[in-house]
Amino acid sequence: MYTASTRSITVTVNPSYLEEESTPTDNEFRWSYHVRIENHGEGTVKLVSRYWRITDAIGRVKEVRGPGVVGEQPVLQPGHAFEYQSWTPLETPSGIMVGTYQMQEKGSGELFDVTIPAFSLDSPYQPIRLN
């Protein structure tokens, strides 16, 4: 699991390789990732948008931006959490993802970014290299 905290918002990500949905012989590798967003602050916040930077094993970068997550813009009251699961494909057997959520404080309307921790996408098909 990978965890990062920004302004009392904690994001935890747990990725897993989807063997049954991947076709390594066709360079199709898929991962699911489970995200938990916790509000440890004193105010209510809304997740407005997301930004992902996905880099495969040979350095190709894909950026994803959009409103909310999985079709929702969850509102998190103090002490509450929101969880969701999504997935990503790659053409290589490994990669890395990192990003941010744009949050909005309900009282003031202030927008701020919350770090999504960088996390590794590793499959059993990634060649092992000794340093």
Side-chain angles (χ1 to χ4, degrees), residues 45-116:
V45 297
K46 177 181 180 180
L47 192 157
V48 178
S49 63
R50 71 189 181 286
Y51 165 74
W52 287 107
R53 180 180 169 95
I54 306 163
T55 306
D56 72 12
I58 58 174
R60 291 178 294 202
V61 175
K62 177 181 176 184
E63 294 182 318
V64 178
R65 298 175 193 272
V69 291
V70 294
E72 297 185 49
Q73 290 184 314
V75 174
L76 286 82
Q77 296 178 354
H80 288 120
F82 177 79
E83 296 184 52
Y84 73 95
Q85 188 158 322
S86 192
W87 66 280
T88 191
L90 287 180
E91 294 178 12
T92 60
S94 68
I96 192 165
M97 287 179 69
V98 66
T100 57
Y101 295 124
Q102 185 177 63
M103 308 294 275
Q104 182 177 40
E105 290 222 14
K106 289 302 266 183
S108 68
E110 177 190 0
L111 295 171
F112 64 98
D113 288 338
V114 170
T115 299
I116 302 168

Side-chain angles (χ1 to χ4, degrees), residues 1-4 10-16 32-38 52 84-86 97-99 101 115-121:
M1 284 208 271
Y2 302 82
T3 302
T10 300
V11 178
T12 303
V13 183
N14 188 13
S16 60
S32 70
Y33 52 93
H34 179 267
V35 179
R36 179 176 172 86
I37 306 164
E38 301 171 76
W52 287 107
Y84 73 95
Q85 188 158 322
S86 192
M97 287 179 69
V98 66
Y101 295 124
T115 299
I116 302 168
F119 58 95
S120 181
L121 303 170

Side-chain angles (χ1 to χ4, degrees), residues 14-34 85-95 119-126:
N14 188 13
S16 60
Y17 178 64
L18 297 173
E19 180 82 40
E20 65 284 354
E21 295 182 26
S22 298
T23 313
T25 55
D26 294 331
N27 291 323
E28 294 177 9
F29 303 87
R30 294 180 185 221
W31 286 264
S32 70
Y33 52 93
H34 179 267
Q85 188 158 322
S86 192
W87 66 280
T88 191
L90 287 180
E91 294 178 12
T92 60
S94 68
F119 58 95
S120 181
L121 303 170
D122 298 311
S123 79
Y125 300 96
Q126 176 61 35

